[in-house]
Amino acid sequence: MPFLSRAFTLIDLLTCVALASILLGIGVPALMSMVHDQRVRSASLGLLQSAMLARNESIKRRQPVLVRARDKDWSKGWEVFVDLNDNAQREPHEPLLAQRSAPGGVIIKGNSPVAHYLRYTPTGQTKRLGGAFQAGTVTICHINGKQSVRRLVLSSVGRLRSVADKPGGC
């Protein structure tokens, strides 16, 4: 009989299962929220780093360098390349400097001036293909709309700054 006195009872087991369920019920949503927020931050930081690379390379190479959205959709990712013929399209002979995929579940949209590309000139400024200065905002958010929204604001001199905003849809 000493063996039975040391064993767990059904009530002990059910109590442990109930406590584990409560802890999981609280912990899993918080963990998922943190994961979604990190995806937004990762996309924001990746695009910011790509823009910094493009700016530095355009000054160094004395050639226009583009950060261009894949298939005209920032959410699919982007590529950084030297645009030797100034057509905002990557040709086989143009050097690819970097490419990046956007994290899953993240929506990235630019307003009209930066809807499809950021174009850095050899002076480090951003200009559109027609020569007009390029300034705009790229908005990055999670598809569920519950995480903080990140905005990358491009000034006419080519500097990007990151701004955190309240949760909401894109």
Side-chain angles (χ1 to χ4, degrees):
M1 285 306 230
F3 175 74
L4 291 179
S5 64
R6 292 187 202 159
F8 289 109
T9 64
L10 182 59
I11 294 173
D12 292 337
L13 180 65
L14 290 176
T15 303
C16 288
V17 169
L19 284 173
S21 298
I22 291 170
L23 290 175
L24 282 174
I26 294 170
V28 169
L31 179 65
M32 290 310 297
S33 177
M34 187 175 74
V35 168
H36 295 325
D37 190 50
Q38 188 58 38
R39 285 182 178 173
V40 172
R41 286 177 186 227
S42 174
S44 172
L45 184 60
L47 191 52
L48 186 62
Q49 288 172 339
S50 294
M52 288 171 36
L53 171 69
R55 187 173 193 218
N56 289 337
E57 287 293 320
S58 68
I59 294 169
K60 182 175 88 176
R61 294 171 182 259
R62 297 183 183 178
Q63 294 284 336
V65 176
L66 263 75
V67 181
R68 187 173 60 94
R70 276 196 201 132
D71 300 326
K72 297 185 178 183
D73 184 1
W74 290 108
S75 298
K76 292 181 179 178
W78 54 90
E79 58 187 7
V80 181
F81 64 94
V82 181
D83 192 19
L84 297 173
N85 56 5
D86 267 346
N87 65 352
Q89 299 294 323
R90 183 168 177 271
E91 307 296 330
H93 66 280
E94 294 176 328
L96 178 66
L97 304 174
Q99 59 184 0
R100 187 162 180 153
S101 298
V106 175
I107 299 171
I108 306 172
K109 289 186 179 182
N111 63 0
S112 180
V114 293
H116 306 300
Y117 67 87
L118 307 174
R119 182 178 172 268
Y120 285 91
T121 65
T123 62
Q125 296 178 318
T126 49
K127 292 196 178 193
R128 298 184 66 139
L129 283 176
F133 77 89
Q134 185 182 30
T137 303
V138 178
T139 304
I140 304 165
C141 62
H142 196 270
I143 57 174
N144 68 10
K146 295 179 182 176
Q147 274 59 48
S148 295
V149 173
R150 298 270 176 181
R151 298 186 198 289
L152 297 178
V153 182
L154 178 67
S155 71
S156 61
V157 295
R159 291 214 171 108
L160 262 177
R161 64 183 168 94
S162 179
V163 178
D165 208 350
K166 297 177 190 174
C170 281

